[in-house]
Amino acid sequence: MTYLLNDPADFAVDALRGYAAAHPDHVMLAHGGVVRSTDTPKNQPALVIGGGSGHYPAFAGWVGPGLAHGAPCGNIFSSPSASQVYSVARSAENGGGVILGFGNYAGDVLHFGQAAEKLRAEGVDVRIIRVSDDIASGPAESHRDRRGIAGDLVVFKIAGAAIAAGANLDEAERVAWKANDATRSFGVAFDGCTLPGAGEALFHVPDGEMAVGLGIHGEPGIREVPMGTAAEVADLLLDGVLEEEPEQSGGGYGGRVAVVLNGLGTVKYEELFVVYARVAERLAEKGLTVVAPEVGEHVTSLNMAGLSLSVVFLDDELEELWLAPADTPAFRRTAGAPSGTPRTTVHTPGEDRIPEASTESRNSAAGIVQVLELLRDTAAEHEEHFGRMDAVAGDGDHGQGMAYGTRGAAAAGSNAAAKGAGARTVLLHAGDAWAEEAGGTSGALWGAALTAAGGVFDDEQAVTAPAIVAALTAGIDAVVRLGGAEPGDKTMVDAALPFRDALAEEFDSTADVAGAVKKAAAVAREAAEATADITSRRGRSRILGEKSLGTPDPGAYSFSVLMDALGTFLASSPDSAAEKP
């Protein structure tokens, strides 16, 4: 359990604040994370890595020369919001573009992806690296679809070293993927972790057994086997990762490996050393040479009792970068003080300059604020109903998420409009706020939709009916692109794609945007209702299989409800939302 805390809800924020205070020579706070205490050198790529809190030293502990430039940190085991990722990246970026690195988990993919969309819209070159080293989470032929666990350290260390050595964005991205594809990890757990303030662990392993194939977010593993000695555990882990050892001919691999033996929070260093003694012995027997092994806590899971083993199959390039200097609070290759220009500013949400806007665009922005307020009121009205639908095969928080997201979007849009923002800027602010206030998958998707829609508008021209159709289309395309869902997966996409197609067809025929939205919303409602007849293939509800049968997908249903409200608004107040085409 966690003994020292104030309010459990503030644990991650309090810990991050204390961490920054403890390491002022290396880091300073930014919105939702930390950045280096010195400016990124001009035109150097910025490596921004992150994920949920509860994994220290990952990820904030790796910010410093030779490794990362910044780290957004979410709540315990939760992805940082897109706004937090964006703010840290904005604070770190200095003309060389950004690499966003994170473990391959759905929430991280969505929120980092949404932040990347916004940065790219502003002209920043962004690359995304999803670490996928966990062999227990997928087959070898789909390595890049696996989860990321302790291999995060290796991939980010190598990418950071390449950047420090002068690599441009293309080279740093190439090297990062190369390191990811050369890294394999496997772990076991002996007992689960306990969230701050909770009285019971997330799971327990039966006495005399251990869970094989654990995750780092409190997942118990894929199977349980009898508890072994330290040597037997070492053999289990090493045999697992070496099953995917490449041939020592071609490709540069010559039998040299980097090794990370990682404690997950409760297993102490002496125990890890006992295990590593066997690992080193076995590797020597196989004729493999270990290069700069790391034994300790690197990617933890609060106080989980367990450990993982990572092996990197090195070539000359990867070995040189693995051995390169690094100086961060939690990982050092050589001693050395940070160098560079002392940092004086970081990005803070809400302090972005509001671009000048024409009177026409400001008038359209006022209409957009009215739409956002209507969506807020509609979501609040249906909050309980959305929640009940989600509780059937999910966690029951969809209604709350929609209420929080729309409330945040309406407030942010209104605030931006009050400062003279045009249509584009109002929607961009609203998209950030929706994602941050709602959190979760729906928050990321709706935030991305508003951001993409805002990219269609500008701050100089009035919003026209064709522009509304284009913005709605762009928003739905962003949802499909970031979420990765397909029709039949039982997600919002099952309603959004029929809406998009019906909207285009009706508007092309009539040029009546209000009528087209209303008709498309009816099509979306019908499609959403039809999801009751299918089982979910994505998200948490997929685990419950046929339990979701008979209930529409809450994301698809809420989408249809909000689009119907939009159509009603356009029909009743057409001049407040768009100029006539």
Side-chain angles (χ1 to χ4, degrees):
M1 62 179 294
T2 303
Y3 295 95
L4 301 175
L5 67 159
N6 299 313
D7 185 337
D10 296 332
F11 182 82
V13 173
D14 289 346
L16 189 65
R17 188 160 50 87
Y19 165 73
H23 298 285
D25 291 339
H26 283 88
V27 300
M28 65 184 299
L29 288 172
H31 172 64
V34 294
V35 291
R36 290 187 191 178
S37 58
T38 57
D39 284 330
T40 302
K42 185 67 176 175
N43 295 324
Q44 182 181 89
L47 176 61
V48 175
I49 63 175
S53 296
H55 303 302
Y56 189 84
F59 297 88
W62 300 338
V63 174
L67 225 155
H69 297 76
C73 304
N75 213 329
I76 300 296
F77 300 164
S78 297
S79 168
S81 71
S83 173
Q84 292 169 326
V85 177
Y86 172 84
S87 292
V88 172
R90 259 298 173 206
S91 299
E93 202 276 334
N94 196 16
V98 175
I99 289 181
L100 297 178
F102 50 90
N104 188 25
Y105 296 89
D108 295 291
V109 171
L110 290 168
H111 283 282
F112 278 84
Q114 184 186 342
E117 293 276 327
K118 183 174 182 182
L119 290 164
R120 288 168 181 150
E122 296 174 353
V124 178
D125 194 350
V126 181
R127 312 297 171 84
I128 290 178
I129 302 296
R130 302 182 304 277
V131 180
S132 56
D133 55 304
D134 177 23
I135 66 171
S137 60
E141 60 268 25
S142 300
H143 178 64
R144 290 194 180 183
D145 293 330
R146 290 166 161 171
R147 301 179 299 192
I149 49 175
D152 287 343
L153 171 64
V154 179
V155 175
F156 300 151
K157 165 64 180 72
I158 287 174
I163 290 170
N168 61 22
L169 197 63
D170 289 335
E171 274 298 289
E173 178 188 26
R174 178 190 64 79
V175 167
W177 278 121
K178 182 179 180 181
N180 179 75
D181 294 343
T183 303
R184 300 293 187 273
S185 299
F186 195 31
V188 297
F190 314 119
D191 203 7
C193 60
T194 305
L195 297 177
E200 186 63 39
L202 293 177
F203 70 91
H204 291 292
V205 179
D207 291 341
E209 296 186 356
M210 57 184 179
V212 176
L214 62 96
I216 58 170
H217 298 109
E219 303 97 324
I222 58 175
R223 69 180 189 275
E224 292 171 351
V225 300
M227 180 68 190
T229 65
E232 289 168 341
V233 170
D235 289 343
L236 172 71
L237 297 177
L238 190 60
D239 289 342
V241 295
L242 290 183
E243 283 183 2
E244 298 185 19
E245 180 187 7
E247 294 290 335
Q248 292 188 36
S249 60
Y253 174 60
R256 297 175 68 81
V257 295
V259 177
V260 178
L261 187 63
N262 174 61
L264 285 154
T266 294
V267 175
K268 305 313 297 178
Y269 275 68
E270 288 86 351
E271 296 174 89
L272 293 173
F273 291 140
V274 172
V275 174
Y276 185 71
R278 175 61 173 173
V279 170
E281 177 182 292
R282 286 281 314 281
L283 289 171
E285 290 174 354
K286 289 180 173 293
L288 300 178
T289 301
V290 180
V291 178
E294 291 289 336
V295 180
E297 292 185 349
H298 296 287
V299 182
T300 61
S301 184
L302 289 174
N303 64 333
M304 182 184 286
L307 71 161
S308 65
L309 176 70
S310 300
V311 173
V312 190
F313 305 109
L314 299 170
D315 64 6
D316 290 344
E317 179 182 41
L318 293 179
E319 180 174 349
E320 179 180 357
L321 296 171
W322 175 238
L323 292 173
D327 179 25
T328 77
F331 186 91
R332 289 185 175 91
R333 273 281 183 257
T334 60
S339 60
T341 304
R343 182 181 299 281
T344 57
T345 60
V346 296
H347 178 268
T348 302
E351 294 186 359
D352 297 309
R353 183 183 67 85
I354 300 293
E356 292 186 9
S358 68
T359 300
E360 293 79 8
S361 187
R362 290 199 301 271
N363 289 339
S364 292
I368 291 172
V369 171
Q370 288 182 281
V371 171
L372 293 170
E373 291 172 344
L374 174 63
L375 298 183
R376 175 200 63 198
D377 296 343
T378 303
E381 178 185 351
H382 291 80
E383 178 179 355
E384 185 176 347
H385 182 45
F386 293 162
R388 286 198 305 269
M389 295 176 68
D390 191 34
V392 172
D395 53 13
D397 68 348
H398 184 67
Q400 182 183 81
M402 293 297 289
Y404 285 0
T406 52
R407 184 177 66 194
S414 178
N415 183 58
K419 295 178 180 179
R424 177 182 183 275
T425 299
V426 163
L427 267 183
L428 293 180
H429 281 244
D432 282 347
W434 192 317
E436 181 153 1
E437 293 298 322
T441 300
S442 69
L445 294 177
W446 276 99
L450 265 63
T451 299
V456 173
F457 299 155
D458 63 47
D459 292 329
E460 296 299 323
Q461 304 295 324
V463 173
T464 64
I468 291 176
V469 174
L472 290 168
T473 299
I476 291 168
D477 289 345
V479 167
V480 174
R481 181 170 61 250
L482 288 176
E486 299 177 352
D489 284 343
K490 198 165 187 173
T491 70
M492 179 167 62
V493 167
D494 287 305
L497 288 181
F499 174 90
R500 182 193 66 183
D501 296 342
L503 175 68
E505 181 179 354
E506 184 69 12
F507 185 72
D508 286 346
S509 299
T510 66
D512 174 13
V513 67
V517 171
K518 284 291 286 185
K519 183 171 182 178
V523 171
R525 173 66 67 86
E526 183 178 352
E529 295 284 2
T531 63
D533 297 328
I534 58 177
T535 57
S536 178
R537 298 200 298 249
R538 298 183 69 87
R540 293 175 179 171
S541 59
R542 76 184 188 279
I543 300 171
L544 299 177
E546 295 188 356
K547 188 175 181 181
S548 65
L549 280 174
T551 302
D553 176 70
Y557 187 83
S558 62
F559 173 86
S560 70
V561 170
L562 265 57
M563 291 303 98
D564 183 68
L566 173 62
T568 299
F569 173 85
L570 293 172
S572 62
S573 307
D575 294 333
S576 66
E579 298 293 332
K580 296 292 186 181

